[in-house]
Amino acid sequence: MKQHSGALGRLATLKQLAHRFAFLSLVMASFALMLLGKADTALVERIRLSVSDAVAPILDVMSRPAGTIAEVVSAVRELATLRAENVRLRDENSKLMHWQAAARQLDNENRALHIQLNFIPDPDPSFITTRVIDDTGGAFVHSMLINSGSRDGVRKGQAVIAGEVMVGRIMEVGQRSARVLLLTDINSHIPVMLETSRAKAILTGDNSDRPRLNMLSPNSNAAPGDRVVTSGHGGAFPPGVPLGVVSSVQDGVVRVEPFVHRHKLEYVTVVDYGLAGILPSDAAAASEGHDR
């Protein structure tokens, strides 16, 4: 029994000595590595690279499960996003199908009513697309120059649009160029109406970025966001051509934000709607001048 106790005591003593010598060994190894690093940097660099090369395959194998898990998590998230997007698209498609059916029904009713009323449709407009070559916008004039003129069929008073949006009308015509009077110019006056309430007004430019609505009924209840389109009065332009939206209503002054601003225009379309309008045609003007 005493021998067994003595053996355990010796083992405990040896274990304590091993711990102490292990700590001292690590300290001495650290100092040795520091001294070696100072003495031979190239050798330390080679050892570090060798260790990195030896450990790299192990790290690569260990990192693959983590990468696989990350890919699985990403795939699950994408699947959830796709399901939500699919639900949204189905709902949107259902709404669009509803509006498509309603539009077809209204189109058929419109055609039937036109036949019953012996309705004469407006002539198909002719148009040319041209490039803006100069912007003469300033404090006193809002206009721009295009590289098409009378030789291309451009006439004074024709509408100038960008896409489906009106930006102005032809003011002066030369052989190879023409000048466009923009909606914001102080000389621009266009009969318009609010698309929702059908209230009539005159869109008048004042050389600011937002023209104002004049001659608008106080009972029109104009509000920001109301779309403004041509009314067709005066015979200069057909009804329903978009121009802008009401941007502000303050102290009885209604301002309109045009859909397109002149500094964004590179190409425009000159449209001949086949309307005589309030401006005489070139032939009529020439005939009148000849009679005089």
Side-chain angles (χ1 to χ4, degrees):
M1 192 70 181
K2 291 181 179 180
Q3 292 179 353
H4 182 69
S5 299
L8 291 177
R10 284 194 296 273
L11 287 174
T13 303
L14 290 173
K15 187 179 293 185
Q16 291 178 359
L17 291 174
H19 282 299
R20 290 177 182 178
F21 279 111
F23 178 74
L24 291 174
S25 300
L26 290 174
V27 171
M28 294 176 65
S30 299
F31 276 110
L33 289 174
M34 291 174 61
L35 293 174
L36 182 61
K38 295 292 184 180
D40 193 349
T41 307
L43 178 61
V44 174
E45 183 71 20
R46 287 196 297 270
I47 294 174
R48 184 167 61 245
L49 291 175
S50 299
V51 172
S52 299
D53 291 340
V55 175
I58 300 174
L59 294 177
D60 180 61
V61 173
M62 293 176 64
S63 65
R64 286 182 181 179
T68 304
I69 293 173
E71 291 178 358
V72 171
V73 172
S74 178
V76 171
R77 290 178 178 176
E78 290 181 359
L79 181 60
T81 303
L82 288 175
R83 287 181 176 178
E85 184 72 11
N86 190 28
V87 172
R88 187 187 66 81
L89 289 176
R90 285 183 178 179
D91 182 61
E92 184 176 344
N93 185 55
S94 177
K95 293 179 180 179
L96 289 175
M97 293 296 292
H98 170 73
W99 285 112
Q100 183 184 36
R104 287 179 177 176
Q105 182 179 358
L106 290 174
D107 182 63
N108 292 332
E109 292 179 359
N110 192 32
R111 291 176 184 273
L113 290 173
H114 284 176
I115 294 174
Q116 292 180 7
L117 295 174
N118 196 21
F119 177 76
I120 301 176
D122 294 329
D124 293 331
S126 60
F127 61 89
I128 61 169
T129 300
T130 182
R131 187 165 58 89
V132 177
I133 58 176
D134 186 28
D135 183 355
T136 57
F140 303 104
V141 62
H142 283 199
S143 65
M144 60 188 185
L145 199 65
I146 59 176
N147 66 341
S148 298
S150 58
R151 67 173 186 171
D152 304 302
V154 178
R155 294 188 300 108
K156 185 177 180 181
Q158 289 177 335
V160 179
I161 63 175
E164 298 296 330
V165 178
M166 187 172 180
V167 297
R169 59 182 174 85
I170 299 297
M171 178 178 60
E172 298 174 353
V173 182
Q175 287 289 329
R176 300 174 180 270
S177 63
R179 188 168 299 279
V180 179
L181 185 72
L182 299 176
L183 302 176
T184 54
D185 190 89
I186 196 171
N187 296 307
S188 176
H189 306 277
I190 298 178
V192 298
M193 64 181 174
L194 300 179
E195 191 174 47
T196 304
S197 65
R198 318 304 287 180
K200 307 299 190 295
I202 301 294
L203 183 66
T204 305
D206 56 2
N207 287 348
S208 69
D209 292 334
R210 295 177 177 83
R212 59 187 296 175
L213 290 180
N214 289 334
M215 311 296 293
L216 182 65
S217 172
N219 299 325
S220 62
N221 296 325
D226 289 346
R227 282 170 54 96
V228 179
V229 299
T230 56
S231 66
H233 288 183
F237 312 109
V241 181
L243 293 94
V245 296
V246 174
S247 60
S248 64
V249 181
Q250 295 180 351
D251 300 329
V253 178
V254 181
R255 294 282 178 179
V256 175
E257 177 77 21
F259 283 125
V260 178
H261 293 277
R262 68 171 188 263
H263 63 273
K264 297 182 179 179
L265 295 173
E266 296 182 9
Y267 292 89
V268 295
T269 301
V270 182
V271 185
D272 184 3
Y273 290 104
L275 303 174
I278 57 177
L279 297 175
S281 63
D282 294 340
S287 177
E288 184 179 355
H290 181 72
D291 294 340
R292 289 182 180 178

